[in-house]
Amino acid sequence: MSSARATAQIPRQPGDAAAPKQRDAFFDNAKFLAIVLVAVAHAWEPMRGDSRTVTALYMAVYAFHMPAFIVIAGYFSRSFDGSPRRVARLITGVAVPYVVFQLAYTFYMRWLAEDTSTYIPLFEPKWLMWFLLALFIWRLTVPVWQAVRWPLPLALAIAGAATASPTLGGDLQMQRVLQFLPFFVLGLCLKQEHFAFVRRGVVRLLALPVFAVALLVAYWAEPRMEYQWFYHRDTAQEFGQPWWAGFAMTLLLFACAVVLTACFFALVPGRTTWFSVLGAGTLYGYLLHGFFVAGAREKGWYDAEVLQEMSTFLPITTVVAAAGVTLLCTPLVQRIFRPLMEPKLAWFFRRRPAGHRADDR
C-alpha cells in the first residue's frame, strides 16, 4: 500500500464521528465486496439443505464474510473514547437505525406470514438486526479493550465461555455478541501495516489456492459438522457436544476465519474502482436487502422451475443478489434513506458550552 494511501483519513463507519473529506479506497472496496458476499450467501439459503455443493459454498463464505466485516468495524472503532460527541454519533448511526429497522422487519415479516401478533420484540433482534445491536455493545466496550494488556486472548476466552454456556439465553443475541467479539477486538488491534502485509504479492498468490482448499474442506465437512456453527449463535451443548467442544470450536473457527479474511483482504483492490463509492453505503445495502430476500422466500419466487437445478440456481441467485445489493448501496438510495439511517437529532442531545473543545476531553 502506498504511503499516500496508508495515511489517508479513514472513512466513516456506523457510529463514527463526522465523515472526513478523504476516503481510503481499499477499505471502501473491502466493505462493498463483503456486503455482496453477505447478500449472495443469503440468496443461496433456500437450496442449502438440498445440495452438498451449495452448502459447501455457503459454509466457506460464512466462515469469513461477517468476520471480515466485523474486523473492519473494529478497526474503525479505535478512536471511540466514550466522549459525548462520539456517543451521540453512536446513537444516531447505530441505535436509531436498529430501533427503526427492528420494528420494520418485525411488522414486515408478520405481514408476509399473515401474523396478527402485537408483541414488539425490541430486545430480540430480528434476523439481520443482531449486527447493529452487537456493534452498539462492542463500541461501548472499546475503552476496556484498549486498557487491558492482552485484549485478543481475553476476547477469545469470553467467546469460548459463551459457546459453552447455554444459559445465556436469546435476549440481545448475546451469544452472537460474545462469539463474534474476538473479530471486533482483532480489528481494534490492527494497524495499517497489518493490512499492507496481507496485500503483499506472495499473499495474493496464495489467496486463491487457500480459498480452493477451503472449499474442498467445506465439501468434506458438510456431512460431518453442523453448518450452524458458522452462525456463532448456538452453544456446544445445543449441537450435542460436550462443553469443552465450545472452546475448541471457538479457536478453530477463529483461526479459519482469520486465514480466509486475510486472503480476502489480499484480493481486494487498493485502487479506486467503480464500486469504491458504494463502500460508503454498505449499511444501507445490509439493512435493505433483507426485505427482498425474505419477500422472495415467502412469496414463492424460489419455486420457479429454472431455480430447481443447481446449474441455473447458483448463477441466477448470485447475479441477482449481487446486482440488487449493489443498487441498494448507491448514493441515490443513501440520500433517500439517510433520515432513517443517519438522522441528525440535534434536538435530542445537550448543547455543548461555547468554547468547549472539539474532542470533548
Side-chain angles (χ1 to χ4, degrees):
M1 189 180 297
S2 67
S3 59
R5 184 176 298 132
T7 57
Q9 296 183 42
I10 59 177
R12 180 163 49 128
Q13 297 287 301
D16 273 349
K21 296 180 180 179
Q22 192 176 6
R23 300 184 66 93
D24 190 320
F26 167 73
F27 289 107
D28 278 337
N29 294 338
K31 289 192 298 173
F32 171 73
L33 293 175
I35 206 64
V36 167
L37 290 174
V38 170
V40 168
H42 286 156
W44 288 344
E45 286 185 356
M47 190 173 258
R48 179 190 54 212
D50 299 328
S51 168
R52 184 175 180 179
T53 300
V54 173
T55 306
L57 285 168
Y58 182 85
M59 292 169 65
V61 171
Y62 257 80
F64 76 93
H65 73 340
M66 283 308 297
F69 210 70
I70 294 168
V71 166
I72 296 173
Y75 180 74
F76 288 112
S77 296
R78 296 171 301 159
S79 61
F80 184 85
D81 56 6
S83 63
R85 179 170 59 93
R86 297 194 186 278
V87 170
R89 184 69 188 94
L90 181 62
I91 291 172
T92 58
V94 179
V96 172
Y98 169 78
V99 173
V100 170
F101 280 86
Q102 171 72 359
L103 294 174
Y105 270 109
T106 296
F107 290 110
Y108 178 69
M109 291 184 170
R110 285 179 184 171
W111 173 73
L112 290 175
E114 299 182 354
D115 182 357
T116 58
S117 173
T118 58
Y119 173 61
I120 304 297
L122 197 58
F123 299 105
E124 300 169 22
K126 278 284 186 183
W127 192 22
L128 305 172
M129 301 313 301
W130 71 268
F131 175 69
L132 282 187
L133 185 58
L135 182 59
F136 184 83
I137 296 172
W138 293 333
R139 281 263 169 91
L140 291 177
T141 66
V142 167
V144 174
W145 304 112
Q146 293 177 333
V148 300
R149 181 168 295 180
W150 302 291
L152 189 55
L154 178 58
L156 284 168
I158 292 173
T163 312
S165 305
T167 56
L168 276 178
D171 290 346
L172 303 180
Q173 288 269 355
M174 286 306 298
Q175 281 292 348
R176 273 180 162 165
V177 171
L178 297 179
Q179 290 188 37
F180 275 112
L181 175 64
F183 301 106
F184 182 80
V185 175
L186 174 62
L188 288 174
C189 297
L190 293 179
K191 296 179 173 60
Q192 277 280 0
E193 51 263 35
H194 296 122
F195 291 97
F197 176 80
V198 300
R199 299 188 64 246
R200 296 170 62 186
V202 63
V203 183
R204 290 184 179 181
L205 288 175
L206 291 173
L208 287 178
V210 169
F211 276 124
V213 171
L215 286 173
L216 291 175
V217 171
Y219 190 84
W220 171 84
E222 190 275 334
R224 295 173 173 84
M225 70 172 286
E226 301 287 347
Y227 65 81
Q228 290 93 335
W229 276 107
F230 294 102
Y231 294 162
H232 295 277
R233 70 182 182 193
D234 301 302
T235 63
Q237 293 91 330
E238 289 172 302
F239 291 124
Q241 302 295 326
W243 65 269
W244 55 264
F247 283 90
M249 288 299 291
T250 294
L251 296 177
L252 177 61
L253 294 179
F254 181 78
C256 291
V258 168
V259 170
L260 293 178
T261 297
C263 292
F264 170 72
F265 288 145
L267 297 175
V268 170
R271 66 187 184 282
T272 300
T273 66
W274 65 267
F275 54 82
S276 297
V277 67
L278 304 178
T282 51
L283 179 64
Y284 294 77
Y286 179 82
L287 292 177
L288 294 173
H289 86 277
F291 292 103
F292 296 95
V293 174
R297 292 178 189 168
E298 291 294 328
K299 297 302 181 181
W301 294 359
Y302 281 95
D303 296 334
E305 185 176 349
V306 71
L307 297 181
Q308 301 311 303
E309 296 293 332
M310 188 186 69
S311 60
T312 51
F313 174 88
L314 273 178
I316 291 175
T317 55
T318 300
V319 170
V320 170
V325 78
T326 297
L327 292 174
L328 294 175
C329 293
T330 57
L332 174 60
V333 174
Q334 293 178 49
R335 286 195 295 271
I336 293 172
F337 287 94
R338 184 167 288 122
L340 295 178
M341 298 195 188
E342 300 179 82
K344 300 297 183 182
L345 298 185
W347 57 269
F348 185 75
F349 301 103
R350 292 181 179 179
R351 182 174 300 176
R352 287 176 292 170
H356 193 70
R357 291 184 58 181
D359 60 1
D360 294 306
R361 292 177 184 173

